Amino acid sequence: MTGGPKAGFGHAVICGGGFAGLLTAHVLTEFFDRVTIIERDRLSDGQVVRPGIPQAHHVHGMMARGAHILEEFFPGLREELRQAGAPVFDFGAAFPVLTPAGWTPRNKTGIQAQSFNRTTLEARIRARVLAHPHITLLDGHVVCGLSAPPGRTEVDGVLVRPATAGEPTTVAADLVIDAQGRSSRLPRWLAEAGWTRPTTSVVDARYAYASRLYTQPAASPPQWVCTLQMTYAPDVPRGGAVATVDGRRWVVSLMGAAGNLPPTAPEEFEAFAAALDNPYIADAIRLGEPLSPVRCFTNLANRWHRYDHLQKRHVERLIVLGDALCTFNPVYGQGMTVAAIQATVLRDLLRARRPSGCLDGVARVFQKRAARSVRLPWLIATSSDLGWQETTPGAFTQAVRWYLARVLAHVPRNPELYRRFVLVQHMLKGPAILLSPHVLAAVLAPPITPRRNP
């Protein structure tokens, strides 16, 4: 396997070998002679859930736009995953969702989705990425700081030590990428080095997940692949989801907002599910055989570190993306797709810079462009999650929440409206398609009585 034409950019170091780091490594091989991925976890354990991605125990989602980017980066990946047991299905026909206003239509939307296990996805992508001769993986090592020339405004590498113990050494780099996820310590490192740390926007709905893995019975498979009961402020603080993964297995995730912590004791876990209005969730628990303990995942606040606001104070040769830049409440399934979009943003920016062979200013421009990829998913997530907080949101957020509630109130009886909603949800279209005159007329009409039965 060979890389594309080089621009003489030299050596890139990526801090973090998860989803965002792997996609970034794939992109950078087009421009750099060497790419090094530094990852705290040992990655030789196959598909065992590693400490760095505890969320892998829970239901995951990939928006259609993210899936399209993955297929562009790694042709044939969707089929490879399908053969490994990750089903492909129409999002409308095989993914019944119970909204506060009733069930979504079971009509085909033309939007293909795929349900997968996070560890399976990362393992398949990692195998492809590490096959590139210009990529080196340094796993079992921790990035513990930045290296920078005295009195300069750019980094020239990172400080690295073994994850177990040992003194740090410097790994020199022409470009450093922070893809360490929600555990990134970059803001603190910047402050310790005397640079400006970014401000951080936080919206915390006090969400928590509790999940368990089950076998799926061989007889009488359900007429759905995934299912969901939405939480919705301020009256529906409990919900849940089931996803078919790796062939005949179910991941069942129960969720609670505003401090409604899902239980981890098996009997209480089952009782929580049985109390939900979506019967498919309790059915999966009743019909399946448990394969794991119940695992809880908390600290799900939305956090956006505003590196784009640093402007001239931004440290050069340092780029931040993925969850290290912005973490979303995972209930909305946006994080991986936004990370994939940011990888394309970086690719397009470097292609424009290739003729000059100069990296000056790239980091600052990237952070501004990456912020654009965050704005719409941030608005979707936070306009909903702000409903769980005691503070009153601003007028714009209140208007967004009001209009979203009107859309959801009409979705159960309006398949075309639901198709448009899904196109926006999957980042295939902008929200303007929910504001056309005939959509406005439908949304502003009195809603019909909710249908609560599947």
Side-chain angles (χ1 to χ4, degrees):
M1 184 176 182
T2 60
K6 300 297 182 296
F9 288 151
H11 182 214
V13 168
I14 300 171
C15 310
F19 180 82
L22 292 171
L23 266 58
T24 304
H26 170 79
V27 164
L28 293 184
T29 58
E30 183 180 337
F31 310 99
F32 287 80
D33 300 309
R34 293 188 300 129
V35 178
T36 301
I37 303 172
I38 303 173
E39 168 56 47
R40 171 188 292 270
D41 294 334
R42 287 288 183 185
L43 300 180
S44 59
D45 295 329
Q47 295 186 24
V48 175
V49 176
R50 57 187 178 85
I53 51 166
Q55 64 269 37
H57 292 294
H58 309 276
V59 168
H60 270 69
M62 174 71 74
M63 301 293 101
R65 186 175 176 189
H68 293 169
I69 293 171
L70 286 186
E71 195 64 21
E72 177 190 352
F73 285 179
F74 311 108
L77 178 63
R78 169 163 283 192
E79 178 59 20
E80 183 180 329
L81 290 168
R82 189 191 66 79
Q83 292 183 9
V88 178
F89 56 94
D90 184 274
F91 189 84
F95 195 156
V97 177
L98 182 58
T99 76
W103 289 91
T104 54
R106 295 292 291 273
N107 303 65
K108 288 187 175 181
T109 60
I111 299 168
Q112 294 293 298
Q114 187 167 34
S115 178
F116 53 81
N117 184 299
R118 170 69 178 266
T119 52
T120 301
L121 176 70
E122 279 201 13
R124 301 286 172 159
I125 293 176
R126 187 185 308 119
R128 295 200 183 201
V129 169
L130 296 184
H132 198 290
H134 299 147
I135 294 179
T136 300
L137 171 66
L138 185 62
D139 61 349
H141 283 72
V142 178
V143 179
C144 52
L146 302 172
S147 171
R152 302 290 294 273
T153 59
E154 75 273 0
V155 300
D156 63 2
V158 292
L159 303 179
V160 180
R161 63 170 175 78
T164 50
E167 293 297 316
T169 59
T170 300
V171 177
D174 299 285
L175 182 68
V176 174
I177 309 287
D178 182 5
Q180 297 177 97
R182 62 178 66 235
S183 62
S184 171
R185 298 180 180 178
L186 182 58
R188 192 182 79 183
W189 295 343
L190 292 174
E192 290 174 349
W195 286 315
T196 303
R197 66 185 297 162
T199 59
T200 302
S201 300
V202 181
V203 176
D204 188 358
R206 293 182 293 141
Y207 261 93
Y209 277 4
S211 299
R212 199 175 196 187
L213 188 65
Y214 293 83
T215 59
Q216 187 181 123
S220 302
Q223 298 301 305
W224 48 268
V225 176
C226 301
T227 188
L228 169 69
Q229 177 169 329
M230 292 175 57
T231 57
Y232 198 77
D235 300 321
V236 188
R238 295 186 174 194
V242 183
T244 302
V245 298
D246 294 348
R248 306 200 64 87
R249 297 198 293 174
W250 279 319
V251 177
V252 178
S253 291
L254 305 181
M255 59 192 75
N260 282 265
L261 188 69
T264 56
E267 298 81 5
E268 296 175 3
F269 184 83
E270 294 172 12
F272 187 107
L276 298 176
D277 292 328
N278 182 336
Y280 300 137
I281 299 171
D283 286 348
I285 294 174
R286 176 175 55 84
L287 296 173
E289 291 292 329
L291 296 173
S292 74
V294 180
R295 295 183 172 95
C296 193
F297 186 39
T298 56
N299 189 26
L300 306 181
N302 304 278
R303 280 189 174 83
W304 186 359
H305 301 293
R306 300 307 304 262
Y307 291 97
D308 57 308
H309 285 175
L310 294 179
Q311 299 177 1
K312 292 184 179 180
R313 294 172 292 167
H314 184 82
V315 180
E316 281 299 338
R317 307 296 177 104
L318 175 64
I319 280 174
V320 190
L321 48 68
D323 281 359
L325 173 61
C326 183
T327 58
F328 302 94
N329 181 343
V331 72
Y332 305 108
Q334 300 169 312
M336 288 191 294
T337 295
V338 172
I341 292 171
Q342 290 166 4
T344 67
V345 170
L346 180 58
R347 177 199 62 192
D348 295 345
L349 178 57
L350 290 175
R351 282 179 178 173
R353 287 299 187 100
R354 179 164 27 211
S356 70
C358 179
L359 289 171
D360 293 343
V362 164
R364 189 163 56 248
V365 174
F366 172 82
Q367 297 307 155
K368 291 180 180 179
R369 295 183 183 179
R372 298 173 194 165
S373 72
V374 170
R375 284 173 189 149
L376 179 57
W378 177 265
L379 176 63
I380 292 172
T382 59
S383 63
S384 180
D385 283 2
L386 281 168
W388 299 111
Q389 298 191 167
E390 295 180 358
T391 56
T392 301
F396 179 71
T397 301
Q398 291 185 61
V400 171
R401 280 185 49 78
W402 176 85
Y403 193 75
L404 178 60
R406 297 294 301 187
V407 169
L408 291 175
H410 286 274
V411 152
R413 303 287 183 177
N414 192 328
E416 172 58 19
L417 177 62
Y418 183 53
R419 188 185 72 84
R420 287 171 175 258
F421 177 80
V422 171
L423 285 169
V424 176
Q425 179 186 12
H426 281 257
M427 304 185 201
L428 297 173
K429 297 287 185 180
I433 66 168
L434 293 174
L435 297 171
S436 65
H438 75 276
V439 171
L440 282 169
V443 167
L444 298 178
I448 301 172
T449 303
R451 178 172 62 88
R452 304 301 295 178
N453 295 322

